[in-house]
Amino acid sequence: MARFDMSDAEWSVIQPLLPTKVRGVARRVINGIVWRWRTGAPWADIPERYGSHKTCYNRFVRWRAAGVWDRILKAVSAAYDGDIQMIDSSSIRVHQHGANGDKGGSGCMGRSRGGLTSKIHAVVDACGLPIGLGLSEGQAYDGHQAFPLLSQLPAKAIVLADRAYDADAIRDLIAGQGAFPNIPPMPHRRRRPAFSKYLYKMRNLVERFFNKLKNFRAIATRYEKDPRNYMAGVKLASARIWIRFNESAA
């Protein structure tokens, strides 16, 4: 087994979730896809042991369009611990080869101090594992992505977030689902909501998730012009983080 290849335990989880007609060569192809996202190399540089690089790229895009990567992530994250959830974002530098792909829109790329950037938004559970993902322009306000990502909270859950999410609308969204926001209030607030510094210390788990995610070099730097392909790579990497966590826990 080459470096970055899936273990037998990882393959046993992913195989039943793949389209049935391609299982014969799917493991080699997925290993090639993972190798590319892990190393950040161009698709054309995928080693020959994984087959044609065109097959790896085409299979990746077709499965993204068919919802395969979404299905895998949803399946492996079904048993998440939702009593405590954390939301945050991380900026990603867009490589020059990934810029200007969508002539009719932003492609989830925006100008900020770091140049052309995108921003990954994530909600993680009490174990620091992803249960919700989003993508926006790098300069976009974090709170906009909070509404779709925090729209299905379990009752009595606790949501940890930094001051960027201290908005009445976000607090009302969380409280309206029977959950509790634990967000440090802005200094200018007249009425300061309840806030636990002890619980807030757990928010480092979402930061750790981004650190693990950025071990995939094609995610740490965005090379994909199509935001749908980039998010598919983020979901594939997130699914592998989930599988490895469950494997180590077992």
Side-chain angles (χ1 to χ4, degrees):
M1 186 175 70
R3 190 183 183 193
F4 307 139
D5 284 0
M6 291 184 300
S7 65
D8 291 339
E10 289 177 296
W11 177 243
S12 67
V13 174
I14 290 178
Q15 184 181 16
L17 303 171
L18 296 176
T20 57
K21 294 183 179 180
V22 293
R23 287 184 184 173
V25 296
R27 184 169 183 173
R28 183 181 67 176
V29 171
I30 290 184
N31 281 335
I33 293 171
V34 171
W35 183 92
R36 186 269 168 180
W37 283 96
R38 188 66 174 76
T39 63
W43 287 95
D45 290 347
I46 292 177
E48 293 183 359
R49 64 178 178 270
Y50 300 121
S52 169
H53 69 273
K54 293 182 179 179
T55 299
C56 293
Y57 175 77
N58 290 336
R59 192 71 55 81
F60 173 77
V61 174
R62 289 173 184 170
W63 284 354
R64 183 269 299 166
V68 173
W69 309 122
D70 293 296
R71 185 165 64 246
I72 291 174
L73 179 58
K74 184 178 180 179
V76 299
S77 63
Y80 69 88
D81 184 354
D83 291 341
I84 297 179
Q85 299 187 19
M86 291 145 271
I87 185 171
D88 204 356
S89 66
S90 183
S91 294
I92 303 295
R93 186 72 179 268
V94 179
H95 193 271
Q96 61 181 355
H97 294 163
N100 300 323
D102 186 359
K103 299 297 183 180
S106 67
C108 290
M109 306 175 196
R111 293 285 177 183
S112 61
R113 289 184 178 181
L116 197 61
T117 57
S118 296
K119 188 181 287 185
I120 299 175
H121 303 262
V123 176
V124 304
D125 69 357
C127 296
L129 299 169
I131 55 179
L133 296 165
L135 187 69
S136 71
E137 296 84 357
Q139 83 285 2
Y141 167 52
D142 289 352
H144 293 320
Q145 287 288 324
F147 292 93
L149 291 177
L150 298 176
S151 61
Q152 296 182 345
L153 295 171
K156 299 183 180 180
I158 299 174
V159 178
L160 309 181
D162 60 25
R163 283 179 174 169
Y165 299 90
D166 180 28
D168 290 339
I170 296 176
R171 289 181 179 273
D172 291 342
L173 171 69
I174 297 171
Q177 301 174 73
F180 304 96
N182 192 65
I183 304 171
M186 287 289 194
H188 64 267
R189 275 190 175 271
R190 293 183 179 180
R191 296 182 178 179
R192 302 177 72 83
F195 171 68
S196 170
K197 291 183 179 179
Y198 177 78
L199 288 175
Y200 190 71
K201 291 179 180 180
M202 291 185 62
R203 204 185 67 83
N204 70 87
L205 291 173
V206 69
E207 305 288 353
R208 294 185 190 180
F209 163 68
F210 282 121
N211 288 338
K212 294 175 184 177
L213 192 63
K214 290 183 178 181
N215 284 332
F216 291 78
R217 299 185 68 180
I219 293 176
T221 300
R222 179 177 168 181
Y223 300 97
E224 300 296 319
K225 295 181 179 180
D226 191 332
R228 297 170 298 178
N229 288 347
Y230 181 72
M231 276 305 295
V234 172
K235 292 173 182 177
L236 173 60
S238 298
R240 195 172 199 196
I241 291 172
W242 260 101
I243 295 171
R244 289 197 164 186
F245 175 85
N246 291 332
E247 183 181 0
S248 62

